[in-house]
Amino acid sequence: MTFIDRRTFLGGAGLAATAAVLGEGALRGARADKPVNFSGWVFKPDTVKDYVDFFNRKHGGQVKYDAVPWATYHPTMETRAMAGEVVDVMYCNSANRERWVDNGLIRALDDLPGMDELKKKMAPGNLEAARSRDGAKVVGLPYFTSIFILMYNEPMLQQAGIKAPAKTWDELMEHSAKLKRDKISDTPYLPNWNNSGSGTMPQFLSDCHSEGAGVFDAKNKVIVDQEPGAARAMERWQKAYKDGLVNPEVLTKTSSTDTHRLFWTGRYAYHTNHSYYLKTIAGEPENSKLAPKKARMAMYPGNGQTHMFTEWYTINAKTKVLEDAWKLARFLGGNLNGDWYVQRQWCLIAGLDNAYPEMYDNPEIIQSYDRWVDLKLLREQYKKGRPINAFKEPWFSEYDSKAIAVVHNIIRGTSTVPKGLKELATLQRSLA
């Protein structure tokens, strides 16, 4: 993914001047007779269109929805903003959100009606993630939240005489070596080492956390070159690749979706990826040879800690239809409809988790999740989820993108582990 230079964007179209928070008077004065422009990256766009149509019918909206390809979404939205276009409500991922705050592209939400109630309902980790870097304001409503999990192919382990999934990384490597040696699987381990922002670096964070290693310090500086646990994780990755336990194709994939589709084939024993991908793997026989429930979830190896993140709905600071834009945002990322309509549907349709714990008391959600995952185990894994605050730094999106090549060089063995980890720390310092 390419990014517009931060300094260029800051100077473009006078966006920095829009950072001031609008008051309630501006909200009351918003004109309700103008359309609301809404954009998101491409993920089940027909489903999103259905939500928009429902909103327009039931809540008197005039929302116009536009889907933009994921790979170019954030630079596209920034280019459109620089050209003077106002998209009132926008998806924004965690790696880019704080930069949009600093650039004055999106506004704070604390002064808007109903926000205080939503804060009370959000899980503490998600609420903390929703706040700006200084902690003073909430700048997004949750689209979904996710956590990295370990998935395993139960029939394959049984075929190899392995009675239980790996609890440690050493066990996972031993199981993988046995499966390869016994010619049950050519490449038993499928990590999510793809080239997108949802792949290699969240996997890196998860494996470092599981080794008890900090990736960032309290000031959000990269410290992996000082963490023995990070070195252990990278040495394991390097060995898994060198020993042929991993399909090298994963390094060329451009999305986590593409990576998880490999697991559909049933040719792999272990897979690490976002929790929601287990839904198609274990719950959709039309796609996956591991459905129903032949693929299962286990607690993440090591200390069980793993990376957790949230993606966002945001409101343009230049919107001229604030009242209607906020109404749409509350419908999408809150509970405007009174039944968690959108949040609930994302759980049911795509297995996307959300930031409101009361959702998981819903019998319909419990029944649906039971078709593809142990919901109790998933909620236990969330208790070990570790969000990072570094994503709120203005340099993070560029760091996150450029770091992938550094980590891939470690995996391939073209860089030593100490050298590669030092390069990550140097890269972050060069951008800060």
Side-chain angles (χ1 to χ4, degrees), residues 153-416:
N153 179 340
E154 187 172 54
M156 182 176 282
L157 295 190
Q158 290 175 344
Q159 182 184 351
I162 297 170
K163 295 182 179 179
K167 291 184 174 62
T168 68
W169 288 115
D170 286 345
E171 276 189 337
L172 189 146
M173 292 287 282
E174 289 167 7
H175 291 179
S176 297
K178 174 178 169 54
L179 289 159
K180 186 176 179 68
R181 188 170 58 249
D182 294 349
K183 298 184 178 180
I184 295 173
S185 173
D186 292 335
T187 51
Y189 180 38
L190 184 67
N192 193 22
W193 292 342
N194 75 74
N195 278 286
S196 80
S198 71
T200 297
M201 296 317 293
Q203 178 80 74
F204 177 78
L205 286 166
S206 295
D207 283 34
C208 286
H209 292 335
S210 76
E211 293 278 5
V215 177
F216 304 96
D217 67 11
K219 295 183 179 179
N220 293 330
K221 294 180 180 178
V222 172
I223 56 169
V224 287
D225 55 330
Q226 306 166 41
E227 289 281 345
R232 285 195 301 272
M234 291 302 95
E235 286 163 1
R236 182 174 64 252
W237 287 19
Q238 207 173 62
K239 178 174 172 52
Y241 185 81
K242 182 181 178 181
D243 291 351
L245 303 178
V246 175
N247 181 353
E249 187 180 345
V250 298
L251 293 167
T252 66
K253 293 298 183 183
T254 57
S255 73
S256 297
T257 299
D258 289 339
T259 307
H260 100 283
R261 284 173 177 158
L262 294 174
F263 207 58
W264 285 355
T265 63
R267 299 198 306 263
Y268 307 87
Y270 289 105
H271 181 37
T272 42
N273 209 328
H274 303 282
S275 56
Y276 50 81
Y277 284 116
L278 186 57
K279 185 176 190 299
T280 61
I281 294 168
E284 298 183 6
E286 64 273 23
N287 293 316
S288 173
K289 291 183 178 179
L290 293 176
K293 295 184 84 167
K294 295 172 186 173
R296 295 185 179 273
M297 174 191 166
M299 286 295 286
Y300 215 68
N303 64 18
Q305 293 183 356
T306 181
H307 177 54
M308 182 178 77
F309 71 96
T310 312
E311 308 292 40
W312 308 97
Y313 298 109
T314 60
I315 294 183
N316 197 309
K318 279 192 168 183
T319 182
K320 298 296 193 296
V321 287
L322 180 55
E323 183 175 4
D324 289 347
W326 174 235
K327 192 175 180 181
L328 174 64
R330 286 174 63 199
F331 173 73
L332 296 169
N335 193 25
L336 178 71
N337 207 57
D339 59 357
W340 299 103
Y341 182 82
V342 173
Q343 303 280 342
R344 179 165 49 86
Q345 292 302 315
W346 276 132
C347 285
L348 297 172
I349 292 168
L352 295 184
D353 294 318
N354 74 87
Y356 303 102
E358 67 183 61
M359 280 287 301
Y360 297 97
D361 296 327
N362 184 305
E364 185 181 23
I365 299 298
I366 294 169
Q367 183 180 21
S368 175
Y369 270 61
D370 186 57
R371 298 188 184 105
W372 57 274
V373 71
D374 180 337
L375 180 56
K376 183 178 178 181
L377 185 64
L378 179 63
R379 300 309 293 168
E380 286 299 311
Q381 183 67 79
Y382 264 98
K383 292 177 183 178
K384 288 184 172 286
R386 285 187 59 180
I388 59 168
N389 277 318
F391 82 85
K392 299 176 182 180
E393 298 291 348
W395 46 261
F396 183 81
S397 60
E398 190 174 358
Y399 164 81
D400 205 44
S401 179
K402 290 181 175 178
I404 295 171
V406 177
V407 175
H408 281 190
N409 286 338
I410 298 175
I411 293 168
R412 291 189 174 103
T414 57
S415 176
T416 66

Side-chain angles (χ1 to χ4, degrees), residues 85-123:
E85 182 179 352
V86 176
V87 179
D88 304 288
V89 179
M90 300 173 284
Y91 288 11
C92 186
N93 78 343
S94 56
N96 288 273
R97 193 203 68 193
E98 201 69 13
R99 192 159 60 99
W100 284 13
V101 173
D102 290 344
N103 295 340
L105 176 55
I106 59 176
R107 78 179 315 276
L109 308 177
D110 303 82
D111 63 322
L112 300 176
M115 189 64 233
D116 287 344
E117 184 63 24
L118 288 176
K119 289 179 189 176
K120 293 174 185 176
K121 289 183 176 293
M122 260 186 242

Side-chain angles (χ1 to χ4, degrees), residues 24-84:
E24 285 289 344
L27 181 62
R28 287 192 298 270
R31 293 179 62 189
D33 60 340
K34 289 186 177 180
V36 173
N37 294 315
F38 167 45
S39 289
W41 54 74
V42 174
F43 177 73
K44 296 188 179 294
D46 291 342
T47 297
V48 180
K49 186 178 183 300
D50 287 344
Y51 296 160
V52 169
D53 290 345
F54 178 91
F55 175 82
N56 285 341
R57 288 194 311 271
K58 181 164 183 182
H59 297 284
Q62 296 185 52
V63 177
K64 295 182 177 180
Y65 166 60
D66 175 39
V68 178
W70 160 250
T72 58
Y73 174 78
H74 292 88
T76 296
M77 299 312 294
E78 293 173 5
T79 300
R80 288 164 67 176
M82 288 175 65

